[in-house]
Amino acid sequence: MKIATYNVNGINGRLPVLLRWLAESQPDIVCLQELKAPNEKFPEAAIKEAGYNAIWHGQKSWNGVAILSRLDDFKELSRGLPGDEDDLHSRYIEAVAGGIIIACLYLPNGNPAPGPKFDYKLAWFNRLQEHAARKIKQDVPMILAGDFNVMPAELDVYKPERWLDDALFRPEVRSAFEKLLKQGWEDAIRKLYPGQQIYTFWDYFRNAYGRNAGLRIDHFLLSPNLRGRLVSGGVDKEVRGWEKSSDHAPVWIELNGI
């Protein structure tokens, strides 16, 4: 089973890129972030024609997450991260597919830090930790996938000394990510490539993609009972170079057993 995550940075404006990548890559399940579209503007017909059923949690102009699936046993479980009824941001959606719970998330950016946006990021991260801990206790096969807006280590960022005060790299954020791993979740891409420089995002400015001045902020975290099923994974970096592409590239993993 091939599972991918992709921050599309506007699903309608990038729809040709998304459809081309779906046709070429043929993932079974796809987690999308930053739809930047309300629910009624989600391109369901085009996604369906590409061979995928979809569930989505949209929001006008900002945020938005979706899960696409080619599998038969595809069902939405929940939307919205538990823990704050007043949080109206569309950043989390959960489904079951292939016998695995798939959580698609778009964690807040948090800049500028310190400040209210950074506080919101840490609070959201804390809610994610609590939810993830409950799932670990339930011993369910689960994947947390999406744009975490975190570079876990210096290896995950070009020129880390320039990012020390950024909300994506501050110690509080890296510590929050590490707490997830200590629950038992496994960083799938880093497991496959323990010492390799791998990026998933390149800014539009200063020829970042051409210089490979990137960040690794899109992640797959696997529950303990899925660790032995991880076969392969990677980043479709070339997609970032396509015309009118997102500033992220699709990231994917393959699991055996299905």
Side-chain angles (χ1 to χ4, degrees):
M1 179 165 58
K2 185 175 185 180
I3 307 165
T5 183
Y6 187 19
N7 181 321
V8 291
N9 192 16
I11 190 167
N12 288 302
R14 317 281 183 195
L15 188 58
V17 172
L18 174 61
L19 295 176
R20 175 185 170 186
W21 170 72
L22 288 173
E24 293 185 8
S25 183
Q26 294 286 303
D28 298 298
I29 300 168
V30 184
C31 296
L32 301 177
Q33 303 88 40
E34 270 202 279
L35 304 181
K36 296 183 178 178
N39 284 329
E40 65 272 16
K41 295 295 185 179
F42 184 84
E44 182 179 14
I47 298 297
K48 190 87 170 179
E49 187 175 346
Y52 292 86
N53 292 315
I55 59 171
W56 62 93
H57 185 23
Q59 184 173 344
K60 184 178 181 180
S61 302
W62 307 100
N63 306 322
V65 286
I67 303 177
L68 319 182
S69 177
R70 299 194 302 173
L71 305 179
D72 293 333
D73 65 331
F74 179 50
K75 179 182 178 181
E76 180 177 335
L77 296 179
S78 64
R79 57 179 59 196
L81 185 65
D84 185 355
E85 294 181 355
D86 295 327
D87 185 2
L88 302 179
H89 287 201
S90 299
R91 294 184 176 276
Y92 187 92
I93 194 167
E94 200 171 279
V96 61
I100 298 173
I101 296 176
I102 307 292
C104 174
L105 62 92
Y106 175 46
L107 210 136
N109 178 286
N111 279 305
K117 291 184 178 180
F118 189 63
D119 293 341
Y120 170 62
K121 177 173 190 167
L122 294 180
W124 205 97
F125 226 140
N126 185 63
R127 288 160 53 202
L128 178 62
Q129 289 167 0
E130 293 175 351
H131 184 59
R134 288 192 292 269
K135 295 298 186 180
I136 290 287
K137 289 181 180 179
Q138 294 170 8
D139 195 29
V140 294
M142 185 171 181
I143 298 174
L144 305 176
D147 180 357
F148 282 69
N149 270 317
V150 179
M151 295 93 78
E154 291 189 357
L155 184 62
D156 300 312
V157 51
Y158 175 79
K159 293 193 175 180
E161 67 276 7
R162 296 184 178 181
W163 291 82
L164 296 178
D165 293 324
D166 193 276
L168 279 67
F169 198 54
R170 284 179 65 102
E172 304 96 317
V173 175
R174 296 163 65 188
S175 176
F177 188 87
E178 183 65 25
K179 286 179 180 178
L180 281 175
L181 300 185
K182 288 181 178 178
Q183 290 180 359
W185 301 91
E186 181 166 68
D187 182 345
I189 294 298
R190 189 50 70 207
K191 173 66 175 180
L192 292 167
Y193 305 99
Q196 188 170 331
Q197 185 186 72
I198 293 178
Y199 300 142
T200 66
F201 168 93
W202 298 261
D203 206 319
Y204 290 125
F205 302 106
R206 298 179 296 277
N207 191 32
Y209 178 68
R211 296 186 296 115
N212 196 31
L215 314 172
R216 188 175 77 97
I217 57 177
D218 304 272
H219 307 295
F220 287 97
L221 299 189
L222 308 184
S223 62
N225 44 28
L226 290 179
R227 288 178 175 228
R229 292 177 55 181
L230 180 62
V231 177
S232 61
V235 180
D236 290 340
K237 180 181 176 180
E238 70 281 358
V239 177
R240 174 61 179 82
W242 293 355
E243 185 176 358
K244 296 183 179 179
S245 184
S246 169
D247 42 10
H248 294 248
V251 188
W252 56 271
I253 59 171
E254 284 190 301
L255 303 179
N256 63 19
I258 293 183

